[in-house]
Amino acid sequence: MFQELFSPSVQHSLDLAGIFVFAISGALLAVRKNFDVFGMAVLAEVTGLGGGLIRDLIIGAVPPAAFTDLGYFTMPLVATVLVFFLHPHVERIQGAVNVFDAAGLGLFCVTGTVKAHEYGLGLTASAALGLATAAGGGVLRDVLANEVPSLLRWDRDLYAVPAIVGATMVVVCIRFDALNGLTSVLAVVTAFVLRLLAMRFHWRAPRAYNRRSTAAEEPPGPKI
């Protein structure tokens, strides 16, 4: 596992970094929706912690880590303050934020899968919760902001697929007793690189074969 490669303090720092960049995306969406500072904080908290909360509640890891570690709970508030005062500048470095968001996606899909398996779930269920850990906060963010979740929109670059690939690599390694620090990091990097490539080349999942819907297609919105 990660313990073989990183110390607990480094693991904790990586978690906080992932939560922070996810929370920034939530706070930025709140700004675009003209929410007040409380709304910004809510979206930041939900985006940063939502995936982990879903996972912990399903596997019975209660109280969830978000409520037992003050750093996890306060990091989205730090992101809220940053965006509240500096959102024009943060918007200008959205590309860098997206890169860190991709890194958080890769990290959380792997750690979520590992934790779910450690709590006794099967391989398929563990991979599903790895995806939920990585993407659940973004889905909750969009629902609260009255948006179609980016995860479900055809006009968004692939997001779930890189997380699924990372989680699948983890469960395959578990199946063949090959999960260790090196293979865990390889899964993180694979999901991270796939997400970067999807953003760079605008890879998108196919829509229904021979689609005949006459519904108007939504124009691409701002990337979150």
Side-chain angles (χ1 to χ4, degrees), residues 152 154 205-213 217:
L152 305 179
W154 73 270
R207 288 180 284 174
Y209 174 72
N210 201 24
R211 191 177 66 95
R212 297 181 184 277
S213 172
E217 296 175 345

Side-chain angles (χ1 to χ4, degrees), residues 145-176:
N146 197 30
E147 293 265 326
V148 176
S150 297
L151 204 66
L152 305 179
R153 291 184 58 170
W154 73 270
D155 58 346
R156 293 291 192 267
D157 302 331
L158 292 179
Y159 196 87
V161 171
I164 292 171
V165 171
T168 300
M169 290 178 65
V170 171
V171 297
V172 169
C173 288
I174 292 173
R175 173 66 179 81
F176 292 101

Side-chain angles (χ1 to χ4, degrees), residues 50-61 105 107-137 163-164 167-168 171:
L53 282 172
I54 292 171
R55 178 203 60 215
D56 288 350
L57 290 175
I58 290 175
I59 64 179
L105 177 80
L107 176 68
F108 285 174
C109 74
V110 172
T111 58
T113 303
V114 170
K115 185 170 183 178
H117 187 264
E118 288 176 344
Y119 272 76
L121 269 64
L123 297 180
T124 301
S126 295
L129 278 190
L131 171 61
T133 304
I164 292 171
T168 300
V171 297

